Amino acid sequence: MKFPAFDYAAPDSLDEAVALLAAHGEDAMVLAGGQSLMPILAFRMAAPSLLVDLKKVPALDRIDIGAEGVTLGARSRWCDIERHAGLAAAHPLLAEATRHIAHYQIRNRGTVGGSLALADPAAELPGVAVACDALLTLAGPGGERHVAAAEFFLGPMTTAIAPDEILTAVHFPAWPENRRWAFQEFARRKGDFALAGVALHYDLDAQGRARDMRIGVIGASDRPHRLHAAEATMNGSAVDAATIAAAAAAASTEVSPMEDHHAPADYRRALVATLVERALQEAAS
Amino acid sequence: MKAAFEVNGESVEVDVEPRLSLADCLRDVLGLTGTHLGCEHGVCGACTVIVDGQAVRSCLTLAVQADGERITTVEGLSPEAGLSPLQAAFRKHHALQCGFCTPGMVTTAHALLSEEPDADADRVREVLSGNICRCTGYVPIVEAVLEARAAYRKMEGES
Amino acid sequence: MSAPNRLIGSALERVEDLRLLRGRGQFVADINRPDQLHAAFLRSAVAHGMLRGVDAAEALSLDGVHAVLTARDLGSPMPLLPIRLQPLPELEPFCQPMLADEKVRYVGEPVAVVIADSSAIAEDALDLIAVDIDPLPAITNRDQAEAAGTLLFPEHGSNVSMRWNAVKGDADAAFEAADYTRRETFTVQRHAALFMEPRGFVAEWDTDAEKLSVWGAAKVAFANRKILAATMGLERDQIDMIEGDVGGSFGSRGEFYPEDFLIPFAARHLGRPVKWVEDRREHLMAANHARQIECDVEIAATRDGKILALRGTNWTDNGAYIRTNGSIAPRNAAQFMSGAYDIEHIRLTSYSLTTNKTPTGTYRGPGRFEPDFVRERLIDLMAKDLGLDPLDVRRRNLVPADKMPYPLATMTPFESVTSLDSGDNHALLDRCLAEFGWDEKVALQGQCIDGRYHGVSVGCFIEGGAAGPSEDARIVLESDGSFAVYLGSAGVGQGIETIMGQIAGDALGVPFERVRVHYGSTAYVAEGFGSFHSRSTVMGGSAIVLAAEALLEKLRPIAAAALGCALDAVVFDEEGARDADGKAVAFDALSDAPVSAEARFENKKYTYSYGSLAAHVAVDPKTGQVDVLDIASTKDVGRMINPATLNGQSVGSIVQGLGGTLLEEFVYDSEGQLLTGTLADYLLPTATDFPNIRSTVLELAPSPHNPLGAKGAGEGEIIPVGGVIANAVAQALAGFGVEPMALPLSPPNVWRMLQEAIP
């Protein structure tokens, strides 16, 4: 399994990188950590004529934490997030979800940008992004534009990124104090892509009722998405056994899981309900 | 395409096709065949090498991407003669049978213990879960890595 | 064995570790020859179809491509992959052609070989070859195979390649008279050995000397040399098969595959060395699969739990062809259905079915893992039906020590009679229960703790080993006083360099450091049978004992002459020989020229190891996840050579068994496409999956059939795992009435059983 032939460029600036993409169109692919892209090339499921390596592009590995939230540069790696002193406090859901991603060696190379841009339906970060209303920054020949996570993921390996654009950053809005949250996934083995997973958060109003419930689900469709019906059952209600059960039931009916050799659709449907239930219990406890 | 990097303390310059993986470069261009290829799609971990202190899969890294990096392979972790404390612990605990996954286990465990000499059994298992061994059932490998911690603590104390 | 027991029984650290840990092993991918070319295989992407043509023109025009070989280039008649073990003439029509001609019968079947300057270029060329296939319906399951609407081999008239019978006593009469009977259908999924080092060869043809050298030999180099000589039209002594370090076999690696012929053929064809290293994707569809079986089996017993009889039918899915050892699993699945139990009446039939899937072969415990699952499940079902304790039922039915030798059912065709030799099943069961802590754990049976249901179970097994007919060893006293041991056994990662050195050291009465062991390659001894059926230690080790005795007898007159004493006054010690007065001559002073002795150990009686395995599981009813909390096993191997390597075999074997029980599965779609063609889809156990595995290996009953008293011990504990885990899951979920009848016990499958059980 040797890679198909391609050219390689490691431009020094974002402008150069964008220019290379613009010049080569769909024949070029962006390389960051390579932990998802290189297996695709090894299986010859893609045959780009040029790989544009972002390794020298400045500032793409930044992790910025501020009053307005957390911004991760596209080249920041799972190990960077894991080791970042302030991130777990600034965005506990993001930090927790990251712990489930892949294995030690992959985590040392795998990047935020790669996970988002290659858009595996079971990948963790895209699920957190949709649950948290994250905003993605794309750089193209005409400058930058921002796309909401809800509009970014279009299907397996399909996103809103144009062939001449590069994903440069993802921004997670500020995390209020006392926010309730949980991340739950079920994978066959540690580090595997999950059969399904749930990232959720909500706040409590003065009466102790849930508001702004956000539940993102992965592995249950061709893309990560929110469970609006389940959210609706919870908003304005106390988080107790009855409402949790109702939300889980709603979740299981609003997903349309794929059927594959890892699991049948009805299993994934039931699994989503279980994970929603467990995540809500965890968040409430 | 040219790439210059350091392997096991020596500077090398190679002129390779961009598509050549770091693993194939180490093995076929530089003759360092201790780095093994078990799957070539980033699952088995046999090809693990240490790049700037971090364990990475050399089958998912291009040789040209290694330009400017510092690389350590299993050969670089082996003393002139005999075994390192980590390797000796593997031997003592019978933590290898066929030995094919072993270089990846050794590089991974070395990277872990260099950073976390107090890693507990759960952490060791978690880190090694990216390396597949078909022979041992992992039990003796975990025992060996746990025993080797003492040597890394000592090194840390000395440095 | 008369030699003192100094090395044998000691957990010596392995010699091979010194190179393997330093990255200095020599695996086949590490071998390079000057001027070598590289091969890649074009494999069928269609499961079943008529092969109309292969157009390689564009591939041949690619820079760096030297040749594209297709069936036409191999001559006529097309060489076939022969059957090595139990070569029944009935199976010959199902032998695989080295390259597909006329028809393709599975996804992954080699259709063409590209030879190029690099493997990358060879792979580039694969994309440029046009293959014209008229698809035929794919046969992917037993129903389709039996319906015979489409035949893989129309001239045979059926998709059933073979039928085996295991018979003992009068099963039908026993069933007629029985108080209790139960009949169930069980299935085991297709999975495989998945050794970590991909296969590979470097072949070099010396035109002047007309000699072929093949690096990458493993397991059965001598048998493969025979096959290669026959298929290439060479004499055996024109071929050297060279074994380096080998990254695991578990039955699968080292069997003769089409590539074993095609790479040497290409090297001779092109007059240049050719190298090929399998990639993991092709490994998953090209190397032997294993285990897939359906068993419709019935048990008969008295109402107080004495098993009277077993009868029924097995269907193994053998894939598209019968390969070198493809008949072993179906035959064993019939003969070993009774396992360690005293069952007087047996009538079992196994049918091997051809389907459009990768051909099958042996995988550690072939045809033993599968029937153990069936029988251990039937025993628990019976105990439940009769209101008995499954532990009592096992104790009641195990073959007692005083009934050995105890005959198993007789097989036809290829009639073979075999008997359980010597052992104490009851003692091993009791020890296992004690090691496991059965009494405390059984209190958790069926309980729900923190949302998970707990279950424990224990099962008993036998492991056959030491297949004959013989093994050769030659020991040479070198002029420097060291001993070189040459052996027909093969190393597949089990540490035989060390183990054989221990045996030789004790047999010669010299220190370990004085012995060097050479094995695996055809150049070392005249004949060899290699490493399969847990035979190396017993067969090769016994040959060493005999060769050592022969060598010392040869040295005796030399020593007597040097010492000036009578022959019977010569005593050998660690350093050399001495006489009664203490006058000594060192080994390095005995002879200027090397002194060599050869011996052959012949044996037709299998050894049997006996053991038990207990497991504690917890099942999450919501996800279907089965967590293995603890496993403890016991096994009696007669005599331990190296307790560390032996224990390593046990623990590794158990974890492989857990993989086959809970994780691993080759999934095909209805078109015969393999859906689990990566290691992200085919799930092997990893370090986090099964942390608590304990094994205890004992030496209670030495084998009466060899001078070491040793028994084959390389497979054992994998055998009971499926049955024990399934029974533990049934115990955990007894409140729901869940009774697993199929493996794997994957989360979706366990969840499905619960859905169907909950009213």
Side-chain angles (χ1 to χ4, degrees), chain B residues 10-36:
Chain B
E10 285 185 31
S11 298
V12 298
E13 191 177 317
V14 296
D15 189 1
V16 298
E17 272 193 281
R19 64 158 140 177
L20 192 75
S21 72
L22 177 59
D24 280 333
C25 181
L26 290 167
R27 292 179 48 78
D28 298 336
V29 180
L30 301 171
L32 294 167
T33 55
T35 298
H36 293 161

mmCIF file of all heavy atoms in Angstrom, chain B residues 10-36:
data_model
loop_
_atom_site.group_PDB
_atom_site.id
_atom_site.type_symbol
_atom_site.label_atom_id
_atom_site.label_comp_id
_atom_site.label_asym_id
_atom_site.label_seq_id
_atom_site.Cartn_x
_atom_site.Cartn_y
_atom_site.Cartn_z
ATOM 1 N N GLU B 10 22.201 11.592 14.130
ATOM 2 C CA GLU B 10 23.026 11.907 12.961
ATOM 3 C C GLU B 10 22.216 12.684 11.940
ATOM 4 O O GLU B 10 21.050 12.369 11.669
ATOM 5 C CB GLU B 10 23.538 10.617 12.311
ATOM 6 C CG GLU B 10 24.653 9.966 13.097
ATOM 7 C CD GLU B 10 25.229 8.759 12.362
ATOM 8 O OE1 GLU B 10 25.226 8.763 11.118
ATOM 9 O OE2 GLU B 10 25.654 7.817 13.055
ATOM 10 N N SER B 11 22.846 13.677 11.335
ATOM 11 C CA SER B 11 22.163 14.451 10.299
ATOM 12 C C SER B 11 22.182 13.670 8.990
ATOM 13 O O SER B 11 23.202 13.098 8.615
ATOM 14 C CB SER B 11 22.880 15.783 10.077
ATOM 15 O OG SER B 11 22.822 16.525 11.268
ATOM 16 N N VAL B 12 21.050 13.647 8.343
ATOM 17 C CA VAL B 12 20.982 12.969 7.041
ATOM 18 C C VAL B 12 20.259 13.880 6.062
ATOM 19 O O VAL B 12 19.449 14.727 6.447
ATOM 20 C CB VAL B 12 20.239 11.615 7.110
ATOM 21 C CG1 VAL B 12 20.962 10.645 8.021
ATOM 22 C CG2 VAL B 12 18.802 11.806 7.561
ATOM 23 N N GLU B 13 20.602 13.700 4.805
ATOM 24 C CA GLU B 13 19.863 14.397 3.764
ATOM 25 C C GLU B 13 19.452 13.354 2.742
ATOM 26 O O GLU B 13 20.269 12.522 2.330
ATOM 27 C CB GLU B 13 20.730 15.471 3.114
ATOM 28 C CG GLU B 13 19.900 16.383 2.231
ATOM 29 C CD GLU B 13 20.704 17.523 1.617
ATOM 30 O OE1 GLU B 13 21.519 18.123 2.350
ATOM 31 O OE2 GLU B 13 20.513 17.774 0.424
ATOM 32 N N VAL B 14 18.192 13.365 2.395
ATOM 33 C CA VAL B 14 17.711 12.378 1.430
ATOM 34 C C VAL B 14 17.074 13.114 0.261
ATOM 35 O O VAL B 14 16.619 14.253 0.392
ATOM 36 C CB VAL B 14 16.684 11.408 2.054
ATOM 37 C CG1 VAL B 14 17.329 10.585 3.149
ATOM 38 C CG2 VAL B 14 15.477 12.159 2.594
ATOM 39 N N ASP B 15 17.056 12.439 -0.876
ATOM 40 C CA ASP B 15 16.412 12.994 -2.066
ATOM 41 C C ASP B 15 15.407 11.937 -2.519
ATOM 42 O O ASP B 15 15.791 10.894 -3.046
ATOM 43 C CB ASP B 15 17.466 13.255 -3.144
ATOM 44 C CG ASP B 15 16.872 14.038 -4.307
ATOM 45 O OD1 ASP B 15 15.666 14.380 -4.247
ATOM 46 O OD2 ASP B 15 17.615 14.302 -5.275
ATOM 47 N N VAL B 16 14.146 12.193 -2.223
ATOM 48 C CA VAL B 16 13.135 11.136 -2.383
ATOM 49 C C VAL B 16 11.910 11.670 -3.110
ATOM 50 O O VAL B 16 11.694 12.887 -3.196
ATOM 51 C CB VAL B 16 12.690 10.590 -1.005
ATOM 52 C CG1 VAL B 16 13.872 9.965 -0.272
ATOM 53 C CG2 VAL B 16 12.053 11.683 -0.163
ATOM 54 N N GLU B 17 11.103 10.738 -3.606
ATOM 55 C CA GLU B 17 9.798 11.114 -4.147
ATOM 56 C C GLU B 17 8.947 11.671 -3.011
ATOM 57 O O GLU B 17 8.980 11.125 -1.897
ATOM 58 C CB GLU B 17 9.082 9.866 -4.680
ATOM 59 C CG GLU B 17 9.371 9.491 -6.106
ATOM 60 C CD GLU B 17 8.351 8.443 -6.582
ATOM 61 O OE1 GLU B 17 8.520 7.261 -6.242
ATOM 62 O OE2 GLU B 17 7.391 8.831 -7.259
ATOM 63 N N PRO B 18 8.148 12.691 -3.284
ATOM 64 C CA PRO B 18 7.288 13.211 -2.213
ATOM 65 C C PRO B 18 6.375 12.143 -1.615
ATOM 66 O O PRO B 18 6.041 12.209 -0.438
ATOM 67 C CB PRO B 18 6.452 14.285 -2.917
ATOM 68 C CG PRO B 18 7.272 14.705 -4.089
ATOM 69 C CD PRO B 18 8.052 13.491 -4.517
ATOM 70 N N ARG B 19 6.011 11.148 -2.404
ATOM 71 C CA ARG B 19 5.055 10.160 -1.891
ATOM 72 C C ARG B 19 5.682 9.137 -0.949
ATOM 73 O O ARG B 19 4.972 8.293 -0.396
ATOM 74 C CB ARG B 19 4.379 9.433 -3.047
ATOM 75 C CG ARG B 19 5.308 8.599 -3.893
ATOM 76 C CD ARG B 19 4.506 7.534 -4.633
ATOM 77 N NE ARG B 19 4.936 7.308 -6.002
ATOM 78 C CZ ARG B 19 4.384 6.380 -6.775
ATOM 79 N NH1 ARG B 19 3.411 5.623 -6.307
ATOM 80 N NH2 ARG B 19 4.787 6.218 -8.003
ATOM 81 N N LEU B 20 6.979 9.155 -0.778
ATOM 82 C CA LEU B 20 7.616 8.154 0.078
ATOM 83 C C LEU B 20 7.292 8.422 1.549
ATOM 84 O O LEU B 20 7.484 9.534 2.037
ATOM 85 C CB LEU B 20 9.132 8.180 -0.129
ATOM 86 C CG LEU B 20 9.877 7.000 0.497
ATOM 87 C CD1 LEU B 20 9.675 5.728 -0.311
ATOM 88 C CD2 LEU B 20 11.368 7.301 0.637
ATOM 89 N N SER B 21 6.814 7.391 2.227
ATOM 90 C CA SER B 21 6.516 7.575 3.651
ATOM 91 C C SER B 21 7.815 7.650 4.440
ATOM 92 O O SER B 21 8.862 7.151 3.999
ATOM 93 C CB SER B 21 5.661 6.415 4.176
ATOM 94 O OG SER B 21 6.443 5.246 4.274
ATOM 95 N N LEU B 22 7.733 8.252 5.607
ATOM 96 C CA LEU B 22 8.909 8.303 6.481
ATOM 97 C C LEU B 22 9.359 6.880 6.817
ATOM 98 O O LEU B 22 10.553 6.595 6.872
ATOM 99 C CB LEU B 22 8.575 9.093 7.750
ATOM 100 C CG LEU B 22 9.671 9.172 8.806
ATOM 101 C CD1 LEU B 22 10.935 9.813 8.248
ATOM 102 C CD2 LEU B 22 9.178 9.947 10.025
ATOM 103 N N ALA B 23 8.395 5.987 7.002
ATOM 104 C CA ALA B 23 8.730 4.598 7.330
ATOM 105 C C ALA B 23 9.557 3.970 6.209
ATOM 106 O O ALA B 23 10.604 3.357 6.450
ATOM 107 C CB ALA B 23 7.457 3.791 7.565
ATOM 108 N N ASP B 24 9.085 4.107 4.979
ATOM 109 C CA ASP B 24 9.825 3.519 3.866
ATOM 110 C C ASP B 24 11.179 4.195 3.695
ATOM 111 O O ASP B 24 12.157 3.550 3.302
ATOM 112 C CB ASP B 24 9.011 3.620 2.567
ATOM 113 C CG ASP B 24 7.942 2.537 2.482
ATOM 114 O OD1 ASP B 24 8.132 1.464 3.100
ATOM 115 O OD2 ASP B 24 6.910 2.746 1.804
ATOM 116 N N CYS B 25 11.235 5.487 3.971
ATOM 117 C CA CYS B 25 12.506 6.203 3.873
ATOM 118 C C CYS B 25 13.505 5.658 4.896
ATOM 119 O O CYS B 25 14.654 5.370 4.574
ATOM 120 C CB CYS B 25 12.277 7.700 4.073
ATOM 121 S SG CYS B 25 13.777 8.681 3.941
ATOM 122 N N LEU B 26 13.037 5.496 6.126
ATOM 123 C CA LEU B 26 13.923 4.969 7.173
ATOM 124 C C LEU B 26 14.399 3.567 6.805
ATOM 125 O O LEU B 26 15.582 3.249 6.931
ATOM 126 C CB LEU B 26 13.182 4.928 8.518
ATOM 127 C CG LEU B 26 12.874 6.280 9.161
ATOM 128 C CD1 LEU B 26 11.875 6.108 10.310
ATOM 129 C CD2 LEU B 26 14.159 6.948 9.663
ATOM 130 N N ARG B 27 13.484 2.753 6.321
ATOM 131 C CA ARG B 27 13.796 1.351 6.060
ATOM 132 C C ARG B 27 14.626 1.172 4.792
ATOM 133 O O ARG B 27 15.660 0.502 4.800
ATOM 134 C CB ARG B 27 12.503 0.536 5.925
ATOM 135 C CG ARG B 27 11.699 0.394 7.216
ATOM 136 C CD ARG B 27 10.420 -0.401 6.981
ATOM 137 N NE ARG B 27 10.707 -1.612 6.228
ATOM 138 C CZ ARG B 27 11.236 -2.713 6.763
ATOM 139 N NH1 ARG B 27 11.489 -2.756 8.050
ATOM 140 N NH2 ARG B 27 11.489 -3.760 6.004
ATOM 141 N N ASP B 28 14.143 1.758 3.715
ATOM 142 C CA ASP B 28 14.721 1.425 2.410
ATOM 143 C C ASP B 28 15.838 2.386 1.989
ATOM 144 O O ASP B 28 16.749 1.997 1.274
ATOM 145 C CB ASP B 28 13.625 1.414 1.330
ATOM 146 C CG ASP B 28 12.576 0.352 1.608
ATOM 147 O OD1 ASP B 28 12.906 -0.622 2.317
ATOM 148 O OD2 ASP B 28 11.433 0.481 1.135
ATOM 149 N N VAL B 29 15.734 3.644 2.397
ATOM 150 C CA VAL B 29 16.765 4.611 2.009
ATOM 151 C C VAL B 29 17.878 4.629 3.052
ATOM 152 O O VAL B 29 19.061 4.650 2.714
ATOM 153 C CB VAL B 29 16.156 6.020 1.828
ATOM 154 C CG1 VAL B 29 17.231 7.026 1.423
ATOM 155 C CG2 VAL B 29 15.033 5.984 0.790
ATOM 156 N N LEU B 30 17.512 4.603 4.319
ATOM 157 C CA LEU B 30 18.506 4.734 5.384
ATOM 158 C C LEU B 30 18.889 3.395 6.023
ATOM 159 O O LEU B 30 19.751 3.352 6.890
ATOM 160 C CB LEU B 30 17.990 5.716 6.451
ATOM 161 C CG LEU B 30 17.701 7.124 5.901
ATOM 162 C CD1 LEU B 30 16.986 7.978 6.941
ATOM 163 C CD2 LEU B 30 18.999 7.806 5.452
ATOM 164 N N GLY B 31 18.226 2.324 5.609
ATOM 165 C CA GLY B 31 18.610 0.996 6.095
ATOM 166 C C GLY B 31 18.255 0.721 7.551
ATOM 167 O O GLY B 31 18.771 -0.217 8.150
ATOM 168 N N LEU B 32 17.371 1.531 8.114
ATOM 169 C CA LEU B 32 16.979 1.318 9.514
ATOM 170 C C LEU B 32 15.723 0.441 9.545
ATOM 171 O O LEU B 32 14.598 0.924 9.661
ATOM 172 C CB LEU B 32 16.735 2.665 10.193
ATOM 173 C CG LEU B 32 18.012 3.518 10.329
ATOM 174 C CD1 LEU B 32 17.660 4.951 10.702
ATOM 175 C CD2 LEU B 32 18.958 2.908 11.357
ATOM 176 N N THR B 33 15.942 -0.863 9.432
ATOM 177 C CA THR B 33 14.812 -1.782 9.260
ATOM 178 C C THR B 33 14.167 -2.184 10.579
ATOM 179 O O THR B 33 13.254 -3.010 10.585
ATOM 180 C CB THR B 33 15.262 -3.052 8.508
ATOM 181 O OG1 THR B 33 16.368 -3.613 9.218
ATOM 182 C CG2 THR B 33 15.683 -2.721 7.089
ATOM 183 N N GLY B 34 14.605 -1.605 11.679
ATOM 184 C CA GLY B 34 13.929 -1.889 12.949
ATOM 185 C C GLY B 34 12.521 -1.328 12.980
ATOM 186 O O GLY B 34 11.660 -1.823 13.706
ATOM 187 N N THR B 35 12.265 -0.288 12.207
ATOM 188 C CA THR B 35 10.917 0.276 12.106
ATOM 189 C C THR B 35 10.102 -0.608 11.163
ATOM 190 O O THR B 35 10.464 -0.769 10.009
ATOM 191 C CB THR B 35 10.989 1.720 11.573
ATOM 192 O OG1 THR B 35 11.734 2.511 12.505
ATOM 193 C CG2 THR B 35 9.597 2.311 11.397
ATOM 194 N N HIS B 36 9.032 -1.188 11.680
ATOM 195 C CA HIS B 36 8.292 -2.180 10.906
ATOM 196 C C HIS B 36 6.981 -1.629 10.365
ATOM 197 O O HIS B 36 6.390 -0.732 10.964
ATOM 198 C CB HIS B 36 7.994 -3.404 11.776
ATOM 199 C CG HIS B 36 9.220 -4.173 12.155
ATOM 200 N ND1 HIS B 36 9.265 -5.053 13.205
ATOM 201 C CD2 HIS B 36 10.458 -4.181 11.616
ATOM 202 C CE1 HIS B 36 10.480 -5.580 13.300
ATOM 203 N NE2 HIS B 36 11.219 -5.059 12.344
#
